[in-house]
Amino acid sequence: MDDNVYLGVWTNWSRGSVFGPTLTLQRDTGNLLIAFTASFIGFVAARFWKILCLGFHRCWSTSKPRPAIHHQRQVVLRNSSAPEAGLLSFLRLLWAWRHARTKSFFLVALLAFLALFSLAGFTVAGGFSSSISTAAGDEVLLRGDNCGIVAPLVDLGTSTIEDAQANTRVTSEEVNDALSYATQCYGNSSQQGDMECNKFIVGQIATVVDDKAGCPFDDSICRSTGANIQLDSGYMDSNDHLGLNTPEDERFALRYVMQCAPLKTEGYTSTVDFSNRTWVRYHYGNVAAGSSDNVTYLNYTHQVQDLKSQYVYEGPGSWLEGKYFILSSRGTTILDGKPDGDSWTPIPELMTADGDPTLVFLSGNGVRFIQAMDDGWYQVTTPGGTVRDTGGSGSASTYVPDQAALPMGCVERWQWCNSAYPRETGCGPLASGYDAMFGAAPLFNLTVADFDPARPVSPTETGNRFIWPVLIFWGYPSILPAMLKHLGARALESQTLLSDGIQWPLPDNQWHVDVKRWFSTMLASIQASFVDTALGNTNPEFEQYVLRPLTDGERALCSSQKIHSSGYTSFSMFGLCFTFVTGALIIAVSFLLEPVISLLYHWRGYKPYAFLEWNTNTNLQLQRFAHEELGLVQWEECTGEVPTTHPDINLASLDITDPKHPVLSRGPLDIAEQDTWNTPEKPGGEDLTAVETIQGVECGTQPEAPMSPTEGTLTIGRASTENSSRYNWPISAVSSVGEAHP
């Protein structure tokens, strides 16, 4: 099944035209895309944070005197590369200045919150990057390359033994698969998560059950007129329930209703003796027997050995192994309110003009019940002797059915709808299989005559949307008699508690449970029919019986079948496009902002202080500031990303004489430096270059005369060539530096 999956972009119409476009990839390739998306979101997070930092940095940039926390905040904004780095730095600032509850302190707290919010948001977004896949689910589209309906139909007068054999083999496999699926996936919540239960577009189709339904026939023939059962599938949407991927105005809906009731036998039975046995005949209508060229009509519906023959006493110690129920059925189709064909003509009490009737007969066939019961269909109150366990001790009384065969009657009804119309006006009648089909034909621009050919074809797209599903429906065992004929007694839920000819205790409503099992099997069969058609025939022996699509409309339906598959990964194209387009825009904006601001500064002189502060708050520019304070003023690119010096100049190293107050130590001058720098001295031979050169007002120029002392001094640490020393210099001189070096 997985080999027939379409890889690429397609529209899942269950999600609409906007959210429906889906990309399906192999599982391994899909995992790579998920991982790449997560990494991409992480990169977008860093660029988004850069935009925030630039915005806040320029917003709060000012040449007015501000406290240290303000300038530290600006430096953090300039140099934090990601929200997590910014968050850590802001938290450190908050802790260091925790006793200074100023406006700048609370602005730092705001930035810490924004960093945390950004970090959490993008972390969640990265974690949910896989939801781009899970949002689309594991629904995949089948290619339908080998699409076809395997339908070895048996038609009296034209079919051969080979046709009948092929029909039996195909139908038996389909019915058994449907029963297996229904047993595992319908009404068993503990196993609905199994892989087998997820292959169809829905695991199971919900059913409305009425266990107080009336008699589907004339009330006089039902054992009860108010304790029967009716099951209704509701409207099975071709897209939502059957998996045909089409827009809403191109869909159809199918409804299936089954109503069953145990029947009376008084007045409808007779006995006959032959072959040294007594047989009980049930008279619910005539049936046809024999070949097509020699048809014989029987005046009874069903014949079975009487109870005495079914429960022959074989003496003490006889074994019950090999005893199983016998389940037989008779059905007919209704056309224009009347039986169509000669297989079975119901008596008037069982005539139904609005549905296809089926009779089901249950015979005990030697099976003994360990407990008496009378639930309506299982009428088991006649004592049947005792049984003993050969491996243990003790014995138990048993019971046998009260009659040779226990009859039940069921009526099946279908309804087809064109979803392009409102439900009130877009549905045909709830009727028999044929009448429901013909009644809905006008809704699809078809007439009854369009169905006359052995292989009907419609010239219109609307007609194709109905004819092809109808062909699938009739080419599959989607009616009760076909299912029961192939399953026999295995269709009974009670069989699960049958062992060695002993039927262990059953619930009081066992026959309701059995009918629900039939209905679930029918629904599973309908689900499988559309998937199997899209997959096509894989057995060369049945190729002659395959109906291939003949029109573009039919071929389009073949390539529109959805299933669930864990072997592939489907992505929402909306999610992918939104993620990558939005991320690309954020990335582009983050890289374009600084060049645009630079152009505005150089062309218009726009906000020079904010521009220069942003450029000079980088780590490398701050390093330049520190070394310039030691007299190294021959720098270039002083407003760029990377300031540079002459290649032969060595920068200062760290003086850790005072571990609690490390400072930069210029160290001894190289010969090249001595030739380059003019080093003035104060009286006493002290080297003052490091302090005096802070008067330089332009990057790359020599300093002018030293500043004049004024009141108030600021201590600046400096290491000489001999040892560490400190000098007191005027505060006003330092203030002037702030004006010269933004």
Side-chain angles (χ1 to χ4, degrees):
M1 182 183 296
D2 284 353
D3 295 338
N4 208 321
V5 171
Y6 174 80
L7 298 178
V9 178
W10 56 284
T11 299
N12 187 341
W13 289 107
S14 296
R15 297 170 54 81
S17 58
V18 175
F19 298 101
T22 302
L23 172 65
T24 298
L25 301 173
Q26 295 280 359
R27 172 64 66 180
D28 293 343
T29 307
N31 291 338
L32 290 176
L33 180 56
I34 292 174
F36 175 78
T37 303
S39 300
F40 177 79
I41 292 175
F43 182 66
V44 172
R47 303 314 304 172
F48 178 78
W49 177 246
K50 200 65 174 179
I51 295 173
L52 290 181
C53 289
L54 177 58
F56 283 115
H57 189 281
R58 289 181 61 83
C59 177
W60 290 326
S61 179
T62 177
S63 60
K64 297 179 181 180
R66 288 289 185 268
I69 189 174
H70 166 85
H71 295 285
Q72 290 174 339
R73 182 194 67 215
Q74 294 292 85
V75 170
V76 172
L77 284 173
R78 181 62 180 90
N79 294 287
S80 60
S81 60
E84 58 269 24
L87 175 61
L88 183 59
S89 297
F90 289 133
L91 291 177
R92 288 169 176 168
L93 278 181
L94 291 173
W95 179 254
W97 295 94
R98 60 189 180 278
H99 300 301
R101 302 301 176 88
T102 63
K103 178 181 178 182
S104 295
F105 178 87
F106 290 107
L107 290 178
V108 172
L110 172 63
L111 289 173
F113 173 78
L114 290 176
L116 177 62
F117 182 80
S118 179
L119 175 63
F122 280 98
T123 299
V124 171
F128 277 94
S129 60
S130 61
S131 66
I132 298 175
S133 169
T134 57
D138 59 352
E139 294 180 5
V140 297
L141 189 71
L142 296 179
R143 295 195 308 269
D145 299 336
N146 191 39
C147 181
I149 305 169
V150 184
L153 300 177
V154 178
D155 185 14
L156 292 178
T158 60
S159 300
T160 64
I161 292 295
E162 290 74 16
D163 295 334
Q165 180 183 2
N167 176 274
T168 299
R169 290 176 59 189
V170 172
T171 305
S172 178
E173 180 179 352
E174 293 169 344
V175 168
N176 280 287
D177 288 345
L179 175 63
S180 176
Y181 184 89
T183 301
Q184 183 175 356
C185 307
Y186 272 81
N188 189 348
S189 58
S190 63
Q191 298 189 35
Q192 288 173 13
D194 291 354
M195 186 178 298
E196 180 66 21
C197 299
N198 290 328
K199 63 180 181 180
F200 299 137
I201 205 65
V202 292
Q204 61 174 267
I205 297 174
T207 301
V208 178
V209 180
D210 179 7
D211 55 7
K212 302 294 182 183
C215 177
F217 309 104
D218 189 278
D219 286 349
S220 63
I221 201 170
C222 291
R223 296 193 67 210
S224 171
T225 58
N228 303 303
I229 188 171
Q230 176 176 288
L231 302 104
D232 190 341
S233 70
Y235 295 101
M236 294 179 282
D237 184 83
S238 60
N239 177 82
D240 299 339
H241 299 100
L242 304 180
L244 284 178
N245 185 48
T246 54
E248 190 168 357
D249 59 350
E250 297 180 10
R251 303 175 189 175
F252 67 87
L254 174 62
R255 182 184 177 193
Y256 175 48
V257 179
M258 180 193 293
Q259 186 175 359
C260 298
L263 303 178
K264 295 178 179 178
T265 57
E266 296 83 356
Y268 299 99
T269 62
S270 64
T271 58
V272 60
D273 294 324
F274 63 89
S275 299
N276 298 321
R277 294 176 182 265
T278 300
W279 300 77
V280 180
R281 291 176 174 175
Y282 292 82
H283 302 274
Y284 294 111
N286 299 333
V287 296
S291 61
S292 59
D293 55 355
N294 186 23
V295 178
T296 301
Y297 293 96
L298 307 177
N299 63 353
Y300 58 89
T301 310
H302 181 64
Q303 176 178 272
V304 65
Q305 296 182 33
D306 66 357
L307 282 174
K308 183 178 180 181
S309 300
Q310 293 183 41
Y311 290 87
V312 176
Y313 179 66
E314 299 176 355
S318 58
W319 296 85
L320 296 177
E321 291 177 329
K323 305 294 186 180
Y324 297 98
F325 294 120
I326 294 178
L327 193 71
S328 306
S329 63
R330 293 281 186 181
T332 190
T333 56
I334 301 296
L335 178 61
D336 291 332
K338 300 177 181 178
D340 179 56
D342 298 324
S343 59
W344 169 48
T345 303
I347 58 177
E349 295 94 320
L350 294 176
M351 277 297 303
T352 55
D354 61 347
D356 293 330
T358 299
L359 288 181
V360 185
F361 296 91
L362 174 63
S363 299
N365 192 38
V367 173
R368 284 173 164 79
F369 289 70
I370 206 72
Q371 176 180 294
M373 61 183 301
D374 186 5
D375 72 340
W377 192 34
Y378 288 85
Q379 304 168 47
V380 185
T381 60
T382 303
T386 60
V387 292
R388 297 179 181 275
D389 185 0
T390 57
S393 61
S395 62
S397 299
T398 63
Y399 301 86
V400 299
D402 298 343
Q403 301 183 53
L406 305 170
M408 179 195 298
C410 296
V411 176
E412 295 177 281
R413 299 180 178 89
W414 291 268
Q415 187 176 27
W416 295 86
C417 304
N418 187 340
S419 298
Y421 302 103
R423 194 69 76 205
E424 297 77 13
T425 59
C427 293
L430 180 63
S432 65
Y434 284 138
D435 289 346
M437 177 180 66
F438 294 143
L443 297 171
F444 296 88
N445 300 329
L446 297 169
T447 64
V448 175
D450 291 326
F451 291 91
D452 283 345
R455 172 54 168 97
V457 178
S458 173
T460 67
E461 293 296 319
T462 304
N464 289 325
R465 294 201 304 270
F466 185 54
I467 285 182
W468 187 248
V470 165
L471 290 174
I472 294 174
F473 176 80
W474 288 111
Y476 221 80
S478 300
I479 57 176
L480 185 60
M483 185 266 288
L484 295 179
K485 179 177 67 175
H486 288 277
L487 291 180
R490 290 188 298 114
L492 300 171
E493 184 73 22
S494 58
Q495 286 270 100
T496 60
L497 293 176
L498 176 62
S499 176
D500 292 336
I502 297 295
Q503 179 65 67
W504 297 97
L506 298 172
D508 293 337
N509 65 336
Q510 180 59 44
W511 79 273
H512 281 191
V513 177
D514 289 334
V515 173
K516 291 177 183 178
R517 179 183 175 94
W518 305 345
F519 194 79
S520 298
T521 302
M522 298 298 297
L523 294 182
S525 177
I526 293 173
Q527 289 178 275
S529 64
F530 288 90
V531 174
D532 289 350
T533 297
L535 294 174
N537 173 52
T538 58
N539 190 336
E541 296 182 48
F542 302 141
E543 189 61 32
Q544 60 178 316
Y545 301 110
V546 177
L547 300 178
R548 299 292 182 185
L550 300 180
T551 66
D552 291 340
E554 292 178 353
R555 282 187 284 270
L557 288 176
C558 279
S559 59
S560 298
Q561 183 64 49
K562 295 184 296 185
I563 62 170
H564 287 287
S565 174
S566 60
Y568 297 84
T569 305
S570 292
F571 295 87
S572 167
M573 287 299 296
F574 177 86
L576 285 175
C577 291
F578 179 84
T579 299
F580 285 100
V581 170
T582 304
L585 289 175
I586 292 174
I587 293 171
V589 169
S590 71
F591 281 110
L592 289 175
L593 269 180
E594 291 189 61
V596 169
I597 291 173
S598 179
L599 288 175
L600 290 175
Y601 166 73
H602 288 98
W603 288 357
R604 301 290 184 89
Y606 182 72
K607 291 188 176 183
Y609 189 88
F611 172 77
L612 292 174
E613 185 182 22
W614 174 261
N615 281 16
T616 56
N617 274 167
T618 62
N619 292 328
L620 295 179
Q621 290 291 357
L622 293 175
Q623 183 189 47
R624 174 182 68 83
F625 285 160
H627 287 282
E628 278 188 337
E629 295 302 317
L630 297 180
L632 299 179
V633 295
Q634 293 294 329
W635 290 84
E636 297 178 356
E637 299 295 332
C638 296
T639 59
E641 290 288 336
V642 182
T644 60
T645 67
H646 190 280
D648 295 329
I649 295 177
N650 295 328
L651 297 185
S653 58
L654 193 63
D655 181 357
I656 59 172
T657 303
D658 183 358
K660 295 184 178 180
H661 192 171
V663 294
L664 289 176
S665 172
R666 185 169 183 267
L669 293 176
D670 294 337
I671 295 176
E673 293 180 279
Q674 294 175 5
D675 294 337
T676 304
W677 300 97
N678 179 20
T679 307
E681 295 183 354
K682 289 190 81 173
E686 293 179 303
D687 182 4
L688 304 181
T689 304
V691 176
E692 290 177 339
T693 53
I694 63 176
Q695 299 176 89
V697 295
E698 293 184 5
C699 187
T701 63
Q702 290 290 342
E704 297 177 0
M707 296 172 290
S708 301
T710 60
E711 294 185 13
T713 60
L714 176 68
T715 301
I716 300 178
R718 178 198 183 282
S720 69
T721 59
E722 303 286 338
N723 56 4
S724 297
S725 62
R726 299 185 179 235
Y727 298 95
N728 294 329
W729 293 93
I731 295 177
S732 59
V734 178
S735 298
S736 67
V737 175
E739 297 295 330
H741 298 278

